[in-house]
Amino acid sequence: MKQTTRLLLQIVALVIVAGALLLYAFFGVHEEEKKVEKKKADDAQLVALSKAGAAAPDGGRLRGDVIRLTVTAKGGATVLERTADTDWVITSPVHARVDKVVVDAMVSQLQTSRFTRVLTENADDATLAKYGLAPPKFSLEALIEYGTGGQRETVKLEGGMENTFDGSTYMRRGTERTVRLAEGGVRFALERSTDELRDKQLFAVPEEQVAKVSVKTANNEWVLARQPDGSWVVTTPAWTQLADTTQVTALFGSMRSEAVTSFLPDTLAARGEANFDKPLIDAQMVLDGGEKVRMRVSQSQWDAGSHYVALREDAQGSSLATASVSLPGRFDRNARDFVDHGVLRVKKELVTRLVLHGGGGPDVVLEKPSADAGAESWHLVAPKVAPVKIFKVTSALWQLASLKSASVVEEKPKGLAQYGLDGTARSVALVGADGQELARLVLGKDVPGKAGSLYALGTTGDVVELEAARLGELPWKPEDVLDEPAAKDAGSAK
C-alpha cells in the first residue's frame, strides 16, 4: 500500500472518530443536559403537565387548558367548570356565576407561577403536619385537557401554613412527599371560599346585550326597550317616549357598581322569609338571544334589624344575597326620569342647511354642499353669499343638537298663540342633504314669572320651557356669523 493511500485512510479514520465523538457529545451529553434542565424547570413549576409541549396530531404542540377546578378551602369545596364559550361557572355547592377577576387570577397562577425552593425531598407525616400539609390548609385539583383530542389529566396542589418569615406558603404537589415553598401571592389566589369565587356584581347586566327592561314597584311601573337603531324608548301603561341614552347607560352603570354585602343560602325558607311574592322591586330583563334575567328586592328581619335582600335568577342559576340600602333606589324611579328632554333630537352631522327666521331682518341661511363635507365648507348663502366664521356655525349646531328643555309645559297643545308660537315666532329650520327638514325649533314668549325662560316648540310637538341663555350662539343676523376679514380680503382680491 502506498504511503499516500495509508495517510488518506488514517485521515478518514480520524474524521470518523471525531464525528462519533461529536455525536456522542451532542446526543449523549448535550441532550442529557437538556433533559436535566427540563426536569429542573418542571420541578419548579407549580403544576407539572406531563403532556404539555408534546407533539400534537396536527403537527403542532399540545397545550394544556384548565377545564375544571375543585377548590377546597375555608371549610368548603367549590367546583368550577369552563363552559363551551370559555366562560367559567360554579356548579357546586351552588350553580352561580363566577367573579371573573378572581378565577382568572387563579388560573393564571396555575399556569405561570413557580416554586421558589425545595425544603425537603422526603418528608414524613410529622414533617408534613409541621408545615400544615397533613391535613392541608387548602387544596386545588385541576382537570387539564390537551387540544381537542380528548387527552386529559388531573393535577393536584396542597397548601399549608404561611411562612411567617417572608409570607411564603408551604406546598406540595399531589401526594408527593416533597415540601416546597411558593410566594404568598399563590396562597392568596388559590385559597378561596365559594363566596369569594362568586360574582359580587349580582345586578350587573351588559347594556349592549339587553333588549328590554321591565320594572314594577309599589310606586312606579315602566319599561325600557331598545330599538333597532340602538336608541331606547321608555313606556308606561299610559304613554311612550324616546329615552335619554345617557340616563339608560347610567342605570346599567349603577347596577354594575352595586356589589352584594353577603350571600345567603338560597332556600325556600329564606325566600319565604323575604316575601318575594310581594317584592319591593321586581325587575325583569330580556337579552338579545331571548334569555331572561329576573331580579327581585325585598326586606327581611333578623338580628333585630331590617335588611334588603335580593334574588337574581337567570340561565346560570339563582343567587340570594343581602344588598345595600341604595339598591332599591336604582330601580324605584319615575319613568319620566328616563325621558329624553332633547328639544330637537337631531344628528348635527346630517345637517347641511340652517335657516334662521325672525331675527329682526331677512332670514339668515347657512349651507354646506353635503353631509360629508368638512366644517370649513359652511358659508352664508342669504341674504348674501359670503364666508363665515366656522366656529360660529359649529357652535350653533352643537347648541341646537344638545338643546334640553327645563320642563314640559303642555303635551301636544291644541293652540299655540297663547305661547307666542304662532306664525310671528322666531324659528330655526335644520335641513338635510335631500332638502327635507330634519327638525325645527320655534321660540315663543317669555315664561311669566321666570326670568330668562321662554316657551319653545321642538321635534316632540310639546310646548317646553327653555333657558334663553342656551340660545346665545345662534346667529340671528348675518353680522353674527360673517367672517369680516375674510370677506374684505376677498373683495380686495377682486
Side-chain angles (χ1 to χ4, degrees), residues 28 35 56 61 66 78 92 108 173 208 249 278 281 287 292 313 319 384 414 439:
K35 289 179 182 179
R61 295 291 173 182
V66 183
T78 311
S92 178
S108 176
R173 292 195 297 218
E208 64 275 10
T249 299
K278 295 181 179 179
I281 311 289
L287 307 188
K292 295 181 179 179
E313 298 167 287
S319 297
K384 64 179 180 178
K414 294 180 180 179

Side-chain angles (χ1 to χ4, degrees), residues 93-96 194-196 198-200 202-203 260-276 296-303 306-312 318-324:
V94 295
H95 199 280
T194 301
D195 283 0
E196 289 173 331
R198 294 180 70 172
D199 187 3
K200 316 304 182 299
L202 193 64
F203 317 101
V260 303
T261 52
S262 65
F263 288 100
L264 302 172
D266 187 7
T267 63
L268 289 175
R271 290 193 185 192
E273 249 182 67
N275 193 21
F276 282 113
R296 284 175 281 177
V297 181
S298 191
Q299 276 185 301
S300 188
Q301 300 284 334
W302 72 82
D303 293 338
S306 180
H307 303 266
Y308 285 109
V309 182
L311 173 65
R312 172 174 172 150
S318 61
S319 297
L320 190 66
T322 58
S324 71

Side-chain angles (χ1 to χ4, degrees), residues 40-333:
K40 286 182 180 179
D42 289 345
D43 284 345
Q45 289 177 338
L46 207 63
V47 172
L49 304 181
S50 62
K51 299 180 180 62
D58 60 3
R61 295 291 173 182
L62 290 176
R63 185 174 70 88
D65 293 316
V66 183
I67 62 171
R68 187 172 70 223
L69 291 167
T70 302
V71 184
T72 304
K74 301 181 180 180
T78 311
V79 180
L80 306 94
E81 297 189 24
R82 203 177 66 183
T83 60
D85 57 2
T86 71
D87 285 335
W88 286 91
V89 62
I90 295 173
T91 57
S92 178
V94 295
H95 199 280
R97 297 175 300 130
V98 303
D99 186 324
K100 192 174 185 301
V101 173
V102 173
V103 176
D104 285 351
M106 180 177 288
V107 174
S108 176
Q109 287 284 0
L110 287 176
Q111 294 174 332
T112 63
S113 292
R114 305 169 72 84
F115 293 113
T116 55
R117 65 190 179 98
V118 173
L119 287 181
T120 178
E121 294 278 358
N122 191 23
D124 56 22
D125 289 345
T127 302
L128 292 175
K130 181 180 74 171
Y131 291 124
L133 291 166
K137 298 292 183 184
F138 66 93
S139 67
L140 185 143
E141 185 175 283
L143 178 62
I144 311 297
E145 183 175 67
Y146 296 96
T148 57
Q151 297 184 66
R152 296 180 174 181
E153 72 171 315
T154 300
V155 294
K156 187 174 182 180
L157 285 169
E158 291 184 348
M161 296 187 303
E162 178 185 349
N163 181 355
T164 56
F165 176 72
D166 59 5
S168 57
T169 303
Y170 302 108
M171 299 188 73
R172 68 170 177 163
R173 292 195 297 218
T175 57
E176 289 180 358
R177 290 280 173 171
T178 302
V179 177
R180 308 167 190 267
L181 271 177
E183 292 180 349
V186 173
R187 176 177 55 82
F188 176 77
L190 305 186
E191 190 180 11
R192 295 287 189 169
S193 66
T194 301
D195 283 0
E196 289 173 331
L197 291 165
R198 294 180 70 172
D199 187 3
K200 316 304 182 299
Q201 293 179 318
L202 193 64
F203 317 101
V205 182
E207 177 186 349
E208 64 275 10
Q209 297 178 15
V210 178
K212 185 178 179 180
V213 182
S214 304
V215 173
K216 189 172 184 179
T217 74
N219 305 309
N220 296 292
E221 183 176 357
W222 47 267
V223 175
L224 286 170
R226 181 152 52 88
Q227 304 302 291
D229 63 357
S231 63
W232 290 84
V233 294
V234 56
T235 70
T236 70
W239 52 262
T240 298
Q241 291 195 43
L242 185 69
D244 187 336
T245 54
T246 58
Q247 290 296 326
V248 177
T249 299
L251 169 67
F252 284 101
S254 68
M255 290 161 54
R256 187 171 57 250
S257 66
E258 189 80 48
V260 303
T261 52
S262 65
F263 288 100
L264 302 172
D266 187 7
T267 63
L268 289 175
R271 290 193 185 192
E273 249 182 67
N275 193 21
F276 282 113
D277 291 334
K278 295 181 179 179
L280 298 174
I281 311 289
D282 191 349
Q284 299 189 60
M285 301 188 187
V286 180
L287 307 188
D288 286 333
E291 180 186 338
K292 295 181 179 179
V293 179
R294 188 180 186 187
M295 302 177 192
R296 284 175 281 177
V297 181
S298 191
Q299 276 185 301
S300 188
Q301 300 284 334
W302 72 82
D303 293 338
S306 180
H307 303 266
Y308 285 109
V309 182
L311 173 65
R312 172 174 172 150
E313 298 167 287
D314 57 32
Q316 292 184 328
S318 61
S319 297
L320 190 66
T322 58
S324 71
V325 295
S326 64
L327 178 62
R330 309 287 190 196
F331 298 100
D332 193 12
R333 299 169 61 183

